[in-house]
Amino acid sequence: MCLAVPGRVLTVEERDGTRMATVDFGGVVKDVCLEYLPDLRVGEYTIVHVGFALQRLDEESARQTLALFNGLGLLEEEFGDAWERAAEEAAAGPVTEEVDR
Amino acid sequence: MKYLDEFQDPELARRLFDDIRATVTRPWALMEVCGGQTHSIIRHGIDQLLPEEIELIHGPGCPVCVTPLEMIDKALEIASRPGVIFCSFGDMLRVPGTGRDLFTVRGEGGDVRVVYSPLDALRIARENPDKQVVFFGIGFETTAPPNAMTVYQARRLGIRNFSLLVSHVRVPPAIEGLMTSPDCRVQAFLAAGHVCSVMGTEEYPQLAERFRVPIVVTGFEPLDILEGVRRAVRQLERGEHRVENAYPRAVRPEGNPAARRMLADVFEVTDRAWRGIGTIPASGWRLSEAYREFDAEQRFEVGDLTTVEPAACRSGDVLQGLLKPHECEAFGTVCTPRTPLGATMVSSEGACAAYYLYRRLAGAPTPVEVAPVG
């Protein structure tokens, strides 16, 4: 929930009186509310937080950030299955990873 | 130990580190406000690569971590009630309340659902008109506008079986609270970039002037943070205290005016308790009178519920930068992500979880798994 992720606007429409878009986050496509950036257009990039577009972003910055997030597994953390992760944490066994000293 | 070549642009990273090293002449304590910054710092070992004169103090900018225990307990109480669908971000599932969490409440039969957006919770309310659907609205200024818009839509569309359990907090009062504490040794702040995307930077100049501290807005990528550190150290060495925006690609001085207008309509400022810290005046929001009917605390009559934090949890000291996680005697022993004493060990942005996960501090004790009882 804490992440704000850059994505590219694929479609824009009015839904129940609310401006909505579908946004592509490097392969994950989500519905996003555009009420806080109503003049965002198809093809543009935006920073999205909990399903709301908050700020415009240039393409290069967006691509770089997405590549970084992808490499760190943050996109999976943001868009993945929270129940599965919670179950894994609750059942986590003894620590076996080597401590990096 | 981390290496420069792990940065996206190793040459730029090298130049930034070199410039910082060439600039610093004495010890400085900088606080990064946001949990996202903290995790980036620990994950990439930025604090290890910086000159030893520079200390990065981790601030209270993890919204999951500062959500007070009593608010967690209110959430658990509401989520346990029959006829309720309780919606939350995934981050809150394992945050310990008194004796249980949302994960266990679901195991006990509560209808707890994870949503990506508060609008998903509103949709669930429309699809289940016979149920009371509650969304757990936690977060700083970045998350409050989406929740505000959702309540606004609930009223506009007449979706009366929707309500919001509000636990929103604001950054500037937290900075003020920290700086007025006699124990505070913070000399500069790295401000949270996305909070400023929403609110802008106009609240910060008076804080910088009053407390004579540089405040530099940064993004969350390692190079963003390094640039923020470089600017803060340069100001400190020159005896300056200004607000600088080192994240211009996403932050404008006025922030997002539409989001700010919605905040002003749906919410009003209130005192808020911060987990482990206490009440900070004017540090949060609650629903304004016009939207009070959507207040879950009022609707479910849990306003009077109060709770005491377990004494062993020192997350308050961690959140105020008075203690590093590995300095806590419970760290990695009785307190682990599996058996967390407090929220800082649960949240993916909590400082304790960051230290535990990346476990690369020289001298940090190796965590020992506590054997199950019986």
Side-chain angles (χ1 to χ4, degrees):
Chain A
M1 153 240 169
C2 296
L3 268 194
V5 186
R8 182 170 180 270
V9 177
L10 299 179
T11 69
V12 175
E13 67 186 6
E14 204 80 11
R15 205 185 296 168
D16 281 334
T18 304
R19 199 158 180 79
M20 299 291 293
T22 53
V23 174
D24 177 12
F25 304 99
V28 177
V29 176
K30 288 274 187 185
D31 276 351
V32 170
C33 180
L34 297 189
E35 286 296 314
Y36 294 137
L37 277 183
D39 56 353
L40 204 58
R41 289 183 299 271
V42 169
E44 285 193 299
Y45 289 82
T46 179
I47 292 174
V48 175
H49 177 60
V50 298
F52 281 72
L54 291 181
Q55 195 57 269
R56 214 176 235 93
L57 200 63
D58 64 280
E59 178 172 357
E60 188 188 353
S61 297
R63 288 188 183 282
Q64 282 178 11
T65 302
L66 272 175
L68 176 70
F69 283 5
N70 220 350
L72 294 171
L74 294 181
L75 294 183
E76 166 59 27
E77 190 174 304
E78 181 70 5
F79 298 124
D81 188 331
W83 288 113
E84 189 177 294
R85 194 172 329 120
E88 280 168 11
E89 267 171 30
V95 175
T96 55
E97 300 100 297
E98 182 179 341
V99 176
D100 180 10
R101 298 188 188 279
Chain B
M1 190 63 178
K2 296 296 177 176
Y3 302 99
L4 283 176
D5 52 13
E6 290 190 17
F7 287 81
Q8 265 187 325
D9 185 341
E11 186 47 44
L12 175 53
R14 182 181 309 278
R15 267 186 278 124
L16 289 169
F17 278 117
D18 286 348
D19 193 39
I20 293 166
R21 199 166 293 117
T23 302
V24 69
T25 67
R26 72 197 87 163
W28 299 114
L30 285 62
M31 174 177 271
E32 84 272 359
V33 172
C34 178
Q37 292 164 319
T38 301
H39 253 254
S40 195
I41 287 163
I42 304 304
R43 182 189 296 113
H44 296 277
I46 290 169
D47 52 336
Q48 288 184 306
L49 291 165
L50 286 169
E52 64 181 27
E53 288 93 341
I54 299 175
E55 179 187 4
L56 296 182
I57 298 179
H58 315 310
C62 161
V64 172
C65 306
V66 300
T67 301
L69 181 55
E70 61 196 41
M71 195 57 72
I72 305 294
D73 283 343
K74 288 173 187 177
L76 299 175
E77 167 61 33
I78 294 171
S80 300
R81 300 216 181 154
V84 170
I85 297 174
F86 191 87
C87 301
S88 171
F89 296 127
D91 311 62
M92 299 305 286
L93 290 182
R94 296 212 61 243
V95 176
T98 303
R100 52 184 187 155
D101 55 30
L102 284 172
F103 188 72
T104 56
V105 165
R106 188 171 95 138
E108 291 160 2
D111 192 341
V112 180
R113 304 189 193 186
V114 168
V115 294
Y116 166 67
S117 167
L119 286 179
D120 295 332
L122 191 60
R123 191 197 69 244
I124 290 171
R126 294 181 84 176
E127 292 169 354
N128 295 273
D130 58 322
K131 304 274 188 173
Q132 283 293 321
V133 176
V134 181
F135 181 68
F136 196 3
I138 70 153
F140 283 91
E141 292 96 324
T142 321
T143 316
N147 293 341
M149 173 64 69
T150 304
V151 176
Y152 169 85
Q153 296 287 4
R155 193 176 76 156
R156 185 176 69 87
L157 299 170
I159 303 175
R160 300 222 127 62
N161 63 321
F162 176 85
S163 62
L164 187 71
L165 180 60
V166 184
S167 188
H168 281 308
V169 282
R170 305 168 57 222
V171 169
I175 289 179
E176 184 173 356
L178 285 165
M179 292 305 293
T180 51
S181 162
D183 298 321
C184 184
R185 50 201 182 85
V186 177
Q187 293 164 304
F189 286 95
L190 303 179
H194 290 142
V195 165
C196 294
S197 283
V198 171
M199 301 304 289
T201 55
E202 290 156 359
E203 288 175 282
Y204 292 102
Q206 64 170 346
L207 290 172
E209 182 58 35
R210 177 176 164 197
F211 299 111
R212 285 189 280 275
V213 289
I215 299 179
V216 182
V217 181
T218 85
F220 304 94
E221 292 157 48
L223 294 174
D224 291 328
I225 292 165
L226 269 183
E227 173 62 15
V229 170
R230 188 185 73 84
R231 294 192 193 205
V233 170
R234 186 177 57 184
Q235 280 200 47
L236 287 165
E237 290 285 340
R238 295 177 178 175
E240 296 169 356
H241 41 267
R242 292 179 285 108
V243 176
E244 283 190 67
N245 180 9
Y247 193 37
R249 65 184 188 276
V251 172
R252 292 196 291 238
E254 72 279 12
N256 184 315
R260 294 178 69 178
R261 281 193 298 272
M262 183 61 65
L263 278 176
D265 180 37
V266 174
F267 290 123
E268 63 189 22
V269 170
T270 186
D271 300 344
R272 276 278 173 214
W274 293 51
R275 187 163 186 163
I277 294 173
T279 298
I280 301 178
S283 67
W285 281 296
R286 65 172 185 170
L287 288 170
S288 63
E289 185 59 42
Y291 295 86
R292 196 65 54 76
E293 64 175 302
F294 295 96
D295 182 10
E297 272 190 85
Q298 180 175 275
R299 186 174 295 190
F300 293 91
E301 294 172 345
V302 294
D304 291 339
L305 205 159
T306 58
T307 326
V308 179
E309 190 82 41
C313 181
R314 299 188 62 190
S315 61
D317 291 333
V318 171
L319 289 166
Q320 296 174 85
L322 304 174
L323 182 80
K324 294 288 204 298
H326 65 283
E327 293 164 346
C328 172
E329 59 187 26
F331 176 79
T333 56
V334 297
C335 184
T336 67
R338 184 183 183 191
T339 58
L341 287 181
T344 48
M345 183 56 89
V346 173
S347 171
S348 61
E349 290 210 338
C352 299
Y355 274 63
Y356 189 92
L357 182 59
Y358 297 108
R359 232 178 289 116
R360 61 345 132 234
L361 277 180
T366 303
V368 177
E369 191 63 35
V370 177
V373 178

